[in-house]
Amino acid sequence: MTDAVHIVLDDTAMAAAGQGNVLASRLIHRAHAESGWFLYAPACALVEADRARPGTTEHLASLPGITVLDLDLAAALAVAQHKTWAAGHSHYAAQPTPDRPDGAIIATTAPHRWAGEPVRVLDLTV
């Protein structure tokens, strides 16, 4: 276990950030201002967020505290097993890696979407 906090924004969290969601804004601020806080935006989730709220991609990609995760071959194979590209890439990004040995938490405004999935969820609607 590490002290670092790794959070993956799903497409709903990204759209909510652009609409002024206070909890999403706090995550973005922490990732920028505090060491040990890491915020990730999977590319496929960015596309869906931008479809829901045009301009989201440019806004989030310009923020210094957010790391955009590319769709590599391993991610593409994982995406193929999910209903949507956004959910698949977010789920894949939350899995443990050498950089994130404990995995990551998925921030979302649609926690029901993740019911039954083996991921930790942070509900941004609370």
Side-chain angles (χ1 to χ4, degrees):
M1 301 286 289
T2 64
D3 291 334
V5 178
H6 297 275
I7 299 176
V8 173
L9 297 172
D10 76 357
D11 56 307
T12 66
M14 292 181 206
Q19 295 173 324
N21 179 291
V22 174
L23 296 176
S25 296
R26 286 181 185 167
L27 289 175
I28 292 166
H29 173 73
R30 282 196 147 170
H32 173 67
E34 295 183 31
S35 64
W37 280 78
F38 302 93
L39 205 53
Y40 304 97
C44 294
L46 266 175
V47 170
E48 283 303 312
D50 203 70
R51 287 180 179 164
R53 188 171 191 284
T56 300
T57 297
E58 291 85 0
H59 174 69
L60 289 177
S62 71
L63 297 173
I66 297 180
T67 301
V68 176
L69 301 176
D70 295 330
L71 182 67
D72 59 12
L73 178 58
L77 294 172
V79 164
Q81 298 177 15
H82 288 268
K83 290 182 182 179
T84 69
W85 287 46
H89 202 186
S90 297
H91 183 271
Y92 174 78
Q95 300 309 303
T97 67
D99 293 339
R100 298 183 299 275
D102 299 325
I105 300 164
I106 296 179
T108 185
T109 62
H112 62 278
R113 173 190 286 180
W114 299 103
E117 293 288 338
V119 295
R120 296 175 290 161
V121 173
L122 176 61
D123 184 352
L124 299 182
T125 63
V126 180

